[in-house]
Amino acid sequence: MKIDRTKFAQCLIITPEVFEDFRGDYVESYHQDRYNEELSKYGINVDFVQDDFSFSCRGVLRGIHGDDKTWKLISCPQGEIYYVVTCCDKDSDQFGQWQSFIITGNNRKQILVPPKHGAAFLALTNCTFHYKQSTYYEDCKQFTYAWDEPQFKIEWPLHSIGFDRPILSKRDAEAKKIEIVGFTNG
C-alpha cells in the first residue's frame, strides 16, 4: 500500500495494492495487521469496529458530519465521489480549513479521517460509499455543519454534474450555519 499525507496531520490518503491479470483485478481493501503496522509509522493506532455502506445517486450530498472520537476509513468501491474533509476542531488553527479528493472505484483510494474532522461527499455518479468506523454510530453525538457553510467556503462541483443544488437529507437540509448556532464539539 502507498500512503500520502494531506494538509491535516493525521488525515491520510491510502492507496491499496492492485493485483491485475487477464481475468480482471483483485484488491485487499483492509488487513488489520498491515494497516496497524503502516499507520503506526504516522503515530496512529486505530481499531475499527463497524463497517457501513451507503448507495447514492448522482447529485446526492451527504454531510458535513463527524464527532470528537471516531476515526473513519472511507472508500468508494463503485462510482465516483467528490470527498471533503474539514477540520472541525475549534481549538485548532486549521478550524474551517478543508481539502477535497476524487475517490473512485477505479483509483481505489481510501481516506483516513481523524476525530474532530467533518466529512462530506457529493456523488458525481451513482455510487457506493464504504466506511469503517472506530466507534459505534451514535447520531446524537455527531455534529452537523451545513454543506454550504459560509465560513468553510467549500467549492462543490455541482455545475459539472448538471446541478444547481444538491439532493440533501432532512438532517443536512436543516443544518444551521455557524454564526447562528456556534460550534459544538459533539
PDB file of all heavy atoms in Angstrom, residues 116-143:
ATOM      1  N   LYS A 116     -12.666  14.773  15.172  1.00  0.00           N
ATOM      2  CA  LYS A 116     -12.770  16.240  15.130  1.00  0.00           C
ATOM      3  C   LYS A 116     -12.634  16.799  13.726  1.00  0.00           C
ATOM      4  O   LYS A 116     -12.353  17.968  13.540  1.00  0.00           O
ATOM      5  CB  LYS A 116     -11.767  16.904  16.078  1.00  0.00           C
ATOM      6  CG  LYS A 116     -11.976  16.534  17.536  1.00  0.00           C
ATOM      7  CD  LYS A 116     -11.026  17.277  18.442  1.00  0.00           C
ATOM      8  CE  LYS A 116     -11.232  16.857  19.879  1.00  0.00           C
ATOM      9  NZ  LYS A 116     -10.351  17.566  20.796  1.00  0.00           N
ATOM     10  N   HIS A 117     -12.816  15.947  12.737  1.00  0.00           N
ATOM     11  CA  HIS A 117     -12.820  16.366  11.337  1.00  0.00           C
ATOM     12  C   HIS A 117     -14.162  15.951  10.731  1.00  0.00           C
ATOM     13  O   HIS A 117     -14.595  14.815  10.905  1.00  0.00           O
ATOM     14  CB  HIS A 117     -11.671  15.736  10.564  1.00  0.00           C
ATOM     15  CG  HIS A 117     -10.354  16.351  10.882  1.00  0.00           C
ATOM     16  ND1 HIS A 117      -9.743  16.189  12.106  1.00  0.00           N
ATOM     17  CD2 HIS A 117      -9.548  17.154  10.167  1.00  0.00           C
ATOM     18  CE1 HIS A 117      -8.601  16.856  12.119  1.00  0.00           C
ATOM     19  NE2 HIS A 117      -8.464  17.456  10.947  1.00  0.00           N
ATOM     20  N   GLY A 118     -14.799  16.882  10.064  1.00  0.00           N
ATOM     21  CA  GLY A 118     -16.060  16.588   9.409  1.00  0.00           C
ATOM     22  C   GLY A 118     -15.808  15.984   8.044  1.00  0.00           C
ATOM     23  O   GLY A 118     -14.799  16.267   7.400  1.00  0.00           O
ATOM     24  N   ALA A 119     -16.748  15.166   7.617  1.00  0.00           N
ATOM     25  CA  ALA A 119     -16.630  14.517   6.316  1.00  0.00           C
ATOM     26  C   ALA A 119     -17.923  14.709   5.548  1.00  0.00           C
ATOM     27  O   ALA A 119     -19.013  14.719   6.122  1.00  0.00           O
ATOM     28  CB  ALA A 119     -16.331  13.033   6.503  1.00  0.00           C
ATOM     29  N   ALA A 120     -17.782  14.873   4.244  1.00  0.00           N
ATOM     30  CA  ALA A 120     -18.933  15.012   3.359  1.00  0.00           C
ATOM     31  C   ALA A 120     -18.537  14.531   1.978  1.00  0.00           C
ATOM     32  O   ALA A 120     -17.356  14.529   1.638  1.00  0.00           O
ATOM     33  CB  ALA A 120     -19.380  16.472   3.297  1.00  0.00           C
ATOM     34  N   PHE A 121     -19.551  14.121   1.204  1.00  0.00           N
ATOM     35  CA  PHE A 121     -19.248  13.791  -0.186  1.00  0.00           C
ATOM     36  C   PHE A 121     -20.411  14.150  -1.082  1.00  0.00           C
ATOM     37  O   PHE A 121     -21.565  14.145  -0.665  1.00  0.00           O
ATOM     38  CB  PHE A 121     -18.820  12.333  -0.365  1.00  0.00           C
ATOM     39  CG  PHE A 121     -19.929  11.309  -0.282  1.00  0.00           C
ATOM     40  CD1 PHE A 121     -20.669  10.968  -1.409  1.00  0.00           C
ATOM     41  CD2 PHE A 121     -20.194  10.668   0.909  1.00  0.00           C
ATOM     42  CE1 PHE A 121     -21.667  10.009  -1.340  1.00  0.00           C
ATOM     43  CE2 PHE A 121     -21.197   9.712   0.991  1.00  0.00           C
ATOM     44  CZ  PHE A 121     -21.939   9.379  -0.137  1.00  0.00           C
ATOM     45  N   LEU A 122     -20.056  14.466  -2.312  1.00  0.00           N
ATOM     46  CA  LEU A 122     -21.002  14.697  -3.389  1.00  0.00           C
ATOM     47  C   LEU A 122     -20.853  13.540  -4.364  1.00  0.00           C
ATOM     48  O   LEU A 122     -19.741  13.270  -4.840  1.00  0.00           O
ATOM     49  CB  LEU A 122     -20.704  16.028  -4.089  1.00  0.00           C
ATOM     50  CG  LEU A 122     -21.515  16.323  -5.357  1.00  0.00           C
ATOM     51  CD1 LEU A 122     -22.998  16.492  -5.026  1.00  0.00           C
ATOM     52  CD2 LEU A 122     -20.969  17.561  -6.059  1.00  0.00           C
ATOM     53  N   ALA A 123     -21.977  12.870  -4.654  1.00  0.00           N
ATOM     54  CA  ALA A 123     -21.946  11.774  -5.626  1.00  0.00           C
ATOM     55  C   ALA A 123     -21.867  12.363  -7.032  1.00  0.00           C
ATOM     56  O   ALA A 123     -22.801  13.009  -7.495  1.00  0.00           O
ATOM     57  CB  ALA A 123     -23.185  10.905  -5.474  1.00  0.00           C
ATOM     58  N   LEU A 124     -20.734  12.160  -7.686  1.00  0.00           N
ATOM     59  CA  LEU A 124     -20.550  12.650  -9.054  1.00  0.00           C
ATOM     60  C   LEU A 124     -21.210  11.714 -10.065  1.00  0.00           C
ATOM     61  O   LEU A 124     -21.520  12.119 -11.187  1.00  0.00           O
ATOM     62  CB  LEU A 124     -19.063  12.800  -9.360  1.00  0.00           C
ATOM     63  CG  LEU A 124     -18.299  13.770  -8.445  1.00  0.00           C
ATOM     64  CD1 LEU A 124     -16.814  13.754  -8.769  1.00  0.00           C
ATOM     65  CD2 LEU A 124     -18.872  15.176  -8.540  1.00  0.00           C
ATOM     66  N   THR A 125     -21.392  10.460  -9.651  1.00  0.00           N
ATOM     67  CA  THR A 125     -22.116   9.447 -10.424  1.00  0.00           C
ATOM     68  C   THR A 125     -22.926   8.656  -9.406  1.00  0.00           C
ATOM     69  O   THR A 125     -22.772   8.839  -8.192  1.00  0.00           O
ATOM     70  CB  THR A 125     -21.151   8.480 -11.141  1.00  0.00           C
ATOM     71  OG1 THR A 125     -20.423   7.733 -10.141  1.00  0.00           O
ATOM     72  CG2 THR A 125     -20.188   9.203 -12.064  1.00  0.00           C
ATOM     73  N   ASN A 126     -23.773   7.751  -9.866  1.00  0.00           N
ATOM     74  CA  ASN A 126     -24.366   6.804  -8.935  1.00  0.00           C
ATOM     75  C   ASN A 126     -23.201   6.058  -8.293  1.00  0.00           C
ATOM     76  O   ASN A 126     -22.255   5.680  -8.989  1.00  0.00           O
ATOM     77  CB  ASN A 126     -25.292   5.834  -9.653  1.00  0.00           C
ATOM     78  CG  ASN A 126     -26.509   6.522 -10.238  1.00  0.00           C
ATOM     79  OD1 ASN A 126     -26.829   7.670  -9.897  1.00  0.00           O
ATOM     80  ND2 ASN A 126     -27.202   5.834 -11.126  1.00  0.00           N
ATOM     81  N   CYS A 127     -23.260   5.869  -6.986  1.00  0.00           N
ATOM     82  CA  CYS A 127     -22.072   5.317  -6.325  1.00  0.00           C
ATOM     83  C   CYS A 127     -22.404   4.503  -5.089  1.00  0.00           C
ATOM     84  O   CYS A 127     -23.503   4.579  -4.538  1.00  0.00           O
ATOM     85  CB  CYS A 127     -21.119   6.453  -5.940  1.00  0.00           C
ATOM     86  SG  CYS A 127     -21.781   7.527  -4.658  1.00  0.00           S
ATOM     87  N   THR A 128     -21.412   3.733  -4.694  1.00  0.00           N
ATOM     88  CA  THR A 128     -21.414   3.012  -3.428  1.00  0.00           C
ATOM     89  C   THR A 128     -20.297   3.596  -2.585  1.00  0.00           C
ATOM     90  O   THR A 128     -19.160   3.705  -3.038  1.00  0.00           O
ATOM     91  CB  THR A 128     -21.148   1.505  -3.652  1.00  0.00           C
ATOM     92  OG1 THR A 128     -22.140   0.986  -4.537  1.00  0.00           O
ATOM     93  CG2 THR A 128     -21.168   0.741  -2.341  1.00  0.00           C
ATOM     94  N   PHE A 129     -20.637   3.984  -1.358  1.00  0.00           N
ATOM     95  CA  PHE A 129     -19.694   4.598  -0.433  1.00  0.00           C
ATOM     96  C   PHE A 129     -19.517   3.639   0.737  1.00  0.00           C
ATOM     97  O   PHE A 129     -20.498   3.119   1.278  1.00  0.00           O
ATOM     98  CB  PHE A 129     -20.274   5.937   0.051  1.00  0.00           C
ATOM     99  CG  PHE A 129     -19.435   6.675   1.043  1.00  0.00           C
ATOM    100  CD1 PHE A 129     -18.310   7.372   0.645  1.00  0.00           C
ATOM    101  CD2 PHE A 129     -19.789   6.711   2.384  1.00  0.00           C
ATOM    102  CE1 PHE A 129     -17.552   8.083   1.562  1.00  0.00           C
ATOM    103  CE2 PHE A 129     -19.035   7.406   3.305  1.00  0.00           C
ATOM    104  CZ  PHE A 129     -17.923   8.093   2.888  1.00  0.00           C
ATOM    105  N   HIS A 130     -18.269   3.378   1.108  1.00  0.00           N
ATOM    106  CA  HIS A 130     -17.979   2.452   2.213  1.00  0.00           C
ATOM    107  C   HIS A 130     -17.120   3.150   3.239  1.00  0.00           C
ATOM    108  O   HIS A 130     -16.211   3.898   2.889  1.00  0.00           O
ATOM    109  CB  HIS A 130     -17.234   1.220   1.683  1.00  0.00           C
ATOM    110  CG  HIS A 130     -16.763   0.316   2.778  1.00  0.00           C
ATOM    111  ND1 HIS A 130     -15.436   0.190   3.107  1.00  0.00           N
ATOM    112  CD2 HIS A 130     -17.433  -0.478   3.634  1.00  0.00           C
ATOM    113  CE1 HIS A 130     -15.315  -0.666   4.116  1.00  0.00           C
ATOM    114  NE2 HIS A 130     -16.515  -1.079   4.455  1.00  0.00           N
ATOM    115  N   TYR A 131     -17.440   2.926   4.516  1.00  0.00           N
ATOM    116  CA  TYR A 131     -16.546   3.431   5.550  1.00  0.00           C
ATOM    117  C   TYR A 131     -16.498   2.509   6.751  1.00  0.00           C
ATOM    118  O   TYR A 131     -17.473   1.881   7.113  1.00  0.00           O
ATOM    119  CB  TYR A 131     -16.878   4.866   5.969  1.00  0.00           C
ATOM    120  CG  TYR A 131     -18.274   5.128   6.468  1.00  0.00           C
ATOM    121  CD1 TYR A 131     -18.538   5.286   7.826  1.00  0.00           C
ATOM    122  CD2 TYR A 131     -19.332   5.258   5.581  1.00  0.00           C
ATOM    123  CE1 TYR A 131     -19.814   5.562   8.283  1.00  0.00           C
ATOM    124  CE2 TYR A 131     -20.603   5.543   6.026  1.00  0.00           C
ATOM    125  CZ  TYR A 131     -20.842   5.688   7.373  1.00  0.00           C
ATOM    126  OH  TYR A 131     -22.110   5.952   7.829  1.00  0.00           O
ATOM    127  N   LYS A 132     -15.301   2.427   7.300  1.00  0.00           N
ATOM    128  CA  LYS A 132     -15.042   1.715   8.539  1.00  0.00           C
ATOM    129  C   LYS A 132     -14.996   2.770   9.630  1.00  0.00           C
ATOM    130  O   LYS A 132     -14.502   3.875   9.402  1.00  0.00           O
ATOM    131  CB  LYS A 132     -13.700   0.976   8.475  1.00  0.00           C
ATOM    132  CG  LYS A 132     -13.600  -0.025   7.350  1.00  0.00           C
ATOM    133  CD  LYS A 132     -12.264  -0.710   7.299  1.00  0.00           C
ATOM    134  CE  LYS A 132     -12.226  -1.960   8.127  1.00  0.00           C
ATOM    135  NZ  LYS A 132     -13.258  -2.935   7.919  1.00  0.00           N
ATOM    136  N   GLN A 133     -15.497   2.449  10.826  1.00  0.00           N
ATOM    137  CA  GLN A 133     -15.502   3.385  11.950  1.00  0.00           C
ATOM    138  C   GLN A 133     -14.828   2.753  13.164  1.00  0.00           C
ATOM    139  O   GLN A 133     -14.945   1.549  13.377  1.00  0.00           O
ATOM    140  CB  GLN A 133     -16.935   3.748  12.357  1.00  0.00           C
ATOM    141  CG  GLN A 133     -17.704   4.443  11.294  1.00  0.00           C
ATOM    142  CD  GLN A 133     -19.050   4.927  11.798  1.00  0.00           C
ATOM    143  OE1 GLN A 133     -19.384   6.050  11.540  1.00  0.00           O
ATOM    144  NE2 GLN A 133     -19.821   4.128  12.509  1.00  0.00           N
ATOM    145  N   SER A 134     -14.195   3.594  13.964  1.00  0.00           N
ATOM    146  CA  SER A 134     -13.530   3.113  15.179  1.00  0.00           C
ATOM    147  C   SER A 134     -14.460   3.122  16.389  1.00  0.00           C
ATOM    148  O   SER A 134     -14.080   2.644  17.456  1.00  0.00           O
ATOM    149  CB  SER A 134     -12.291   3.959  15.481  1.00  0.00           C
ATOM    150  OG  SER A 134     -12.674   5.293  15.773  1.00  0.00           O
ATOM    151  N   THR A 135     -15.655   3.682  16.257  1.00  0.00           N
ATOM    152  CA  THR A 135     -16.666   3.647  17.311  1.00  0.00           C
ATOM    153  C   THR A 135     -17.990   3.249  16.680  1.00  0.00           C
ATOM    154  O   THR A 135     -18.159   3.353  15.458  1.00  0.00           O
ATOM    155  CB  THR A 135     -16.845   5.019  18.006  1.00  0.00           C
ATOM    156  OG1 THR A 135     -17.320   5.965  17.049  1.00  0.00           O
ATOM    157  CG2 THR A 135     -15.554   5.504  18.632  1.00  0.00           C
ATOM    158  N   TYR A 136     -18.926   2.834  17.510  1.00  0.00           N
ATOM    159  CA  TYR A 136     -20.250   2.521  17.001  1.00  0.00           C
ATOM    160  C   TYR A 136     -21.022   3.809  16.777  1.00  0.00           C
ATOM    161  O   TYR A 136     -20.900   4.767  17.539  1.00  0.00           O
ATOM    162  CB  TYR A 136     -20.994   1.607  17.979  1.00  0.00           C
ATOM    163  CG  TYR A 136     -20.316   0.264  18.115  1.00  0.00           C
ATOM    164  CD1 TYR A 136     -19.602  -0.052  19.255  1.00  0.00           C
ATOM    165  CD2 TYR A 136     -20.365  -0.666  17.078  1.00  0.00           C
ATOM    166  CE1 TYR A 136     -18.955  -1.273  19.369  1.00  0.00           C
ATOM    167  CE2 TYR A 136     -19.728  -1.885  17.183  1.00  0.00           C
ATOM    168  CZ  TYR A 136     -19.019  -2.183  18.328  1.00  0.00           C
ATOM    169  OH  TYR A 136     -18.371  -3.380  18.436  1.00  0.00           O
ATOM    170  N   TYR A 137     -21.805   3.843  15.717  1.00  0.00           N
ATOM    171  CA  TYR A 137     -22.533   5.042  15.314  1.00  0.00           C
ATOM    172  C   TYR A 137     -23.539   5.465  16.386  1.00  0.00           C
ATOM    173  O   TYR A 137     -24.315   4.663  16.881  1.00  0.00           O
ATOM    174  CB  TYR A 137     -23.268   4.782  14.002  1.00  0.00           C
ATOM    175  CG  TYR A 137     -24.143   5.931  13.575  1.00  0.00           C
ATOM    176  CD1 TYR A 137     -23.586   7.072  13.032  1.00  0.00           C
ATOM    177  CD2 TYR A 137     -25.519   5.881  13.739  1.00  0.00           C
ATOM    178  CE1 TYR A 137     -24.375   8.141  12.647  1.00  0.00           C
ATOM    179  CE2 TYR A 137     -26.319   6.937  13.354  1.00  0.00           C
ATOM    180  CZ  TYR A 137     -25.736   8.066  12.816  1.00  0.00           C
ATOM    181  OH  TYR A 137     -26.532   9.123  12.445  1.00  0.00           O
ATOM    182  N   GLU A 138     -23.483   6.749  16.742  1.00  0.00           N
ATOM    183  CA  GLU A 138     -24.463   7.362  17.640  1.00  0.00           C
ATOM    184  C   GLU A 138     -24.812   8.734  17.079  1.00  0.00           C
ATOM    185  O   GLU A 138     -24.054   9.683  17.232  1.00  0.00           O
ATOM    186  CB  GLU A 138     -23.893   7.526  19.044  1.00  0.00           C
ATOM    187  CG  GLU A 138     -23.630   6.226  19.768  1.00  0.00           C
ATOM    188  CD  GLU A 138     -23.141   6.466  21.186  1.00  0.00           C
ATOM    189  OE1 GLU A 138     -23.935   6.953  22.013  1.00  0.00           O
ATOM    190  OE2 GLU A 138     -21.967   6.177  21.434  1.00  0.00           O
ATOM    191  N   ASP A 139     -25.958   8.821  16.427  1.00  0.00           N
ATOM    192  CA  ASP A 139     -26.377  10.058  15.773  1.00  0.00           C
ATOM    193  C   ASP A 139     -26.366  11.241  16.735  1.00  0.00           C
ATOM    194  O   ASP A 139     -25.940  12.337  16.377  1.00  0.00           O
ATOM    195  CB  ASP A 139     -27.780   9.876  15.180  1.00  0.00           C
ATOM    196  CG  ASP A 139     -28.248  11.089  14.421  1.00  0.00           C
ATOM    197  OD1 ASP A 139     -27.444  11.645  13.638  1.00  0.00           O
ATOM    198  OD2 ASP A 139     -29.410  11.487  14.603  1.00  0.00           O
ATOM    199  N   CYS A 140     -26.788  11.021  17.963  1.00  0.00           N
ATOM    200  CA  CYS A 140     -26.911  12.119  18.924  1.00  0.00           C
ATOM    201  C   CYS A 140     -25.561  12.709  19.324  1.00  0.00           C
ATOM    202  O   CYS A 140     -25.494  13.807  19.858  1.00  0.00           O
ATOM    203  CB  CYS A 140     -27.671  11.665  20.157  1.00  0.00           C
ATOM    204  SG  CYS A 140     -26.837  10.343  21.076  1.00  0.00           S
ATOM    205  N   LYS A 141     -24.485  12.006  19.061  1.00  0.00           N
ATOM    206  CA  LYS A 141     -23.159  12.507  19.440  1.00  0.00           C
ATOM    207  C   LYS A 141     -22.411  13.144  18.278  1.00  0.00           C
ATOM    208  O   LYS A 141     -21.288  13.579  18.423  1.00  0.00           O
ATOM    209  CB  LYS A 141     -22.333  11.376  20.039  1.00  0.00           C
ATOM    210  CG  LYS A 141     -23.006  10.803  21.273  1.00  0.00           C
ATOM    211  CD  LYS A 141     -22.039  10.270  22.246  1.00  0.00           C
ATOM    212  CE  LYS A 141     -22.838   9.813  23.453  1.00  0.00           C
ATOM    213  NZ  LYS A 141     -22.078   9.463  24.543  1.00  0.00           N
ATOM    214  N   GLN A 142     -23.038  13.194  17.115  1.00  0.00           N
ATOM    215  CA  GLN A 142     -22.379  13.764  15.937  1.00  0.00           C
ATOM    216  C   GLN A 142     -22.689  15.250  15.797  1.00  0.00           C
ATOM    217  O   GLN A 142     -23.746  15.713  16.202  1.00  0.00           O
ATOM    218  CB  GLN A 142     -22.849  13.065  14.665  1.00  0.00           C
ATOM    219  CG  GLN A 142     -22.221  11.724  14.455  1.00  0.00           C
ATOM    220  CD  GLN A 142     -22.304  11.301  12.999  1.00  0.00           C
ATOM    221  OE1 GLN A 142     -23.200  11.685  12.262  1.00  0.00           O
ATOM    222  NE2 GLN A 142     -21.345  10.503  12.587  1.00  0.00           N
ATOM    223  N   PHE A 143     -21.752  15.966  15.192  1.00  0.00           N
ATOM    224  CA  PHE A 143     -22.043  17.340  14.788  1.00  0.00           C
ATOM    225  C   PHE A 143     -22.422  17.323  13.309  1.00  0.00           C
ATOM    226  O   PHE A 143     -22.069  16.400  12.573  1.00  0.00           O
ATOM    227  CB  PHE A 143     -20.867  18.290  15.050  1.00  0.00           C
ATOM    228  CG  PHE A 143     -19.560  17.895  14.436  1.00  0.00           C
ATOM    229  CD1 PHE A 143     -19.323  18.041  13.074  1.00  0.00           C
ATOM    230  CD2 PHE A 143     -18.524  17.385  15.225  1.00  0.00           C
ATOM    231  CE1 PHE A 143     -18.101  17.696  12.502  1.00  0.00           C
ATOM    232  CE2 PHE A 143     -17.300  17.027  14.662  1.00  0.00           C
ATOM    233  CZ  PHE A 143     -17.091  17.184  13.303  1.00  0.00           C
TER     234      PHE A 143
END
